[in-house]
Amino acid sequence: MGSGHEQVVFCSDEESGLRAVIAVYSTALGPALGGTRFFPYASEEAAVTDALALSKAMAYKNSLAGLDLGGGKGVIIGDPRTQKTEALLRAYGRFVEALGGRYLTACDVGTHNADLDVVARETRFAHGRSLAYGGCGDSSVLTAFGVFQGMRAAAQHRWGSPTLAGKTVAVAGVGKVGSWLVDSLVEDGASVVVTDVDAAAVDRLQARHPGVRAVGDTAELVRTQHDVYAPCALGGALDDETVAVLPAEVVCGGANNQLAHDGTAALLADRGVLYAPDYLVNAGGVIQVEDERHGFSFARAEAKATTIFDVALRVFAAADADGVSPAVAADRLAEERIASVGRLSSIRLPHHG
């Protein structure tokens, strides 16, 4: 109860085997949007901890992106490769529907557009659906686009020009988001070096961009000379050991929860590394999903994601002015918007009819 969340719901359906947790951090700005993660958590406690942390992060992400949305997250306990069934997804959809629109779900780790199509058979509040059902489809496209806009802003702030031309960018993870990001970097004139645990992903990328160099693993990548480091795989990528050897002047990537602990942002700042907060620059995906609520228009969502460039510049300027890390500056801007709009919403007249 001390986490600051508005609501935490435990969901259990014996017939389908569903065990899930839905956490709503805030609805001050609007309904709480956040994806559903399907993951084999070691315990119910681990699932709750993840739901609490992820839902709060979504509230900050949606606020900083300028969306009229709060933050929430659903987690389903289990192995999606063996336990995901139509019955389970539909049971989950009924729990989402029972919240009456306070929580809007979408894709996350372990769930895909087609899964949300099934969930949507039981609820009006499932988004990130497939194109065939009028949804926004693969949100990694605009996630990568937003990361690139954040990287351009970081280049502007650090080197005085909003381009990566002539710079070397190290990309850790070239799955959907990472590969789209590399496309933009190559087009912009950057030199790119990559790594991925999936050799096939690297092969596909190099077939498209023969000039991209690959190294064996992340440990080798972070020791390779580069100007910008882009974590686009797992969370916690920026641990003490990585920060200590990182040659980059800028860190900007698509992965969630990049900082291994609360002190990592200060460690980066102490080394003179400009950190572009992950939830700021990877918000293109949630912008894409949010646009689905209005009858999806890729052009409209892309235009909104372009504003990540301007918001990032604001964060960097605020960090310099206040003598804090960009991570702290971003949190403050997100919290200010939630607080100010929350006060306004508290005095709105009730709707009738």
Side-chain angles (χ1 to χ4, degrees):
M1 295 297 288
S3 66
H5 286 68
E6 292 182 11
Q7 188 174 16
V8 180
V9 179
F10 292 82
C11 314
S12 177
D13 180 72
E14 186 175 351
E15 188 171 339
S16 67
L18 173 72
R19 293 170 61 225
V21 180
I22 298 173
V24 174
Y25 180 73
S26 170
T27 57
L29 297 176
L33 173 65
T36 293
R37 181 166 295 191
F38 202 139
F39 189 79
Y41 292 98
S43 66
E44 186 176 279
E45 182 181 6
V48 172
T49 298
D50 209 23
L52 293 177
L54 292 168
S55 56
K56 182 175 181 178
M58 286 305 303
Y60 280 53
K61 177 182 290 192
N62 294 335
S63 173
L64 207 56
L67 302 175
D68 293 328
L69 293 168
K73 206 75 174 186
V75 299
I76 297 174
I77 303 171
D79 188 336
R81 296 170 299 178
T82 59
Q83 294 174 262
K84 187 190 295 179
T85 63
E86 177 185 343
L88 183 147
L89 292 172
R90 292 184 68 164
Y92 178 70
R94 291 191 290 274
F95 280 105
V96 173
E97 179 66 21
L99 292 174
R102 284 177 54 79
Y103 171 61
L104 311 178
T105 194
C107 300
D108 196 75
V109 175
T111 58
H112 308 282
N113 300 127
D115 299 325
L116 271 295
D117 292 337
V118 176
V119 173
R121 291 162 68 180
E122 300 287 349
T123 180
R124 298 161 288 170
F125 308 115
H127 300 285
R129 300 183 63 190
S130 63
L131 294 171
Y133 285 89
C136 68
D138 181 8
S139 62
S140 64
V141 179
L142 285 191
T143 301
F145 178 77
V147 173
F148 182 61
Q149 297 308 312
M151 200 177 290
R152 290 179 60 244
Q156 169 73 50
H157 188 80
R158 176 51 56 100
W159 299 302
S161 180
T163 177
L164 284 304
K167 303 297 182 184
T168 299
V169 182
V171 181
V174 288
K176 287 184 176 181
V177 173
S179 62
W180 283 110
L181 177 61
V182 171
D183 289 347
S184 296
L185 291 168
V186 170
E187 184 178 352
D188 196 37
S191 297
V192 181
V193 56
V194 305
T195 194
D196 197 292
V197 294
D198 181 2
V202 174
D203 291 342
R204 287 192 296 270
L205 184 70
Q206 289 184 311
R208 234 172 35 245
H209 303 295
V212 168
R213 186 159 57 97
V215 297
D217 55 27
T218 302
E220 184 179 355
L221 183 70
V222 298
R223 288 171 170 78
T224 301
Q225 191 57 43
H226 58 270
D227 304 292
V228 180
Y229 183 55
C232 293
L234 298 176
L238 298 169
D239 55 23
D240 292 4
E241 292 77 13
T242 298
V243 172
V245 300
L246 202 63
E249 293 187 51
V250 170
V251 170
C252 178
N256 287 310
N257 303 322
Q258 293 171 20
L259 305 181
H261 56 78
D262 291 342
T264 307
L267 292 176
L268 287 165
D270 289 345
R271 292 206 62 222
V273 179
L274 178 64
Y275 171 63
D278 48 32
Y279 72 81
L280 160 60
V281 302
N282 69 18
V286 76
I287 289 171
Q288 184 169 334
V289 170
E290 193 276 338
D291 194 84
E292 185 180 298
R293 301 170 66 212
H294 314 291
F296 183 60
S297 162
F298 184 85
R300 181 174 59 203
E302 184 179 46
K304 178 70 174 176
T306 303
T307 64
I308 290 173
F309 176 88
D310 300 307
V311 178
L313 286 179
R314 282 179 56 210
V315 167
F316 298 145
D320 287 349
D322 296 342
V324 297
S325 71
V328 172
D331 284 356
R332 287 178 179 176
L333 288 172
E335 289 163 356
E336 285 170 8
R337 181 166 181 258
I338 292 171
S340 64
V341 178
R343 285 193 293 271
L344 290 172
S345 65
S346 69
I347 60 172
R348 288 176 188 154
L349 292 174
H351 294 288
H352 298 284

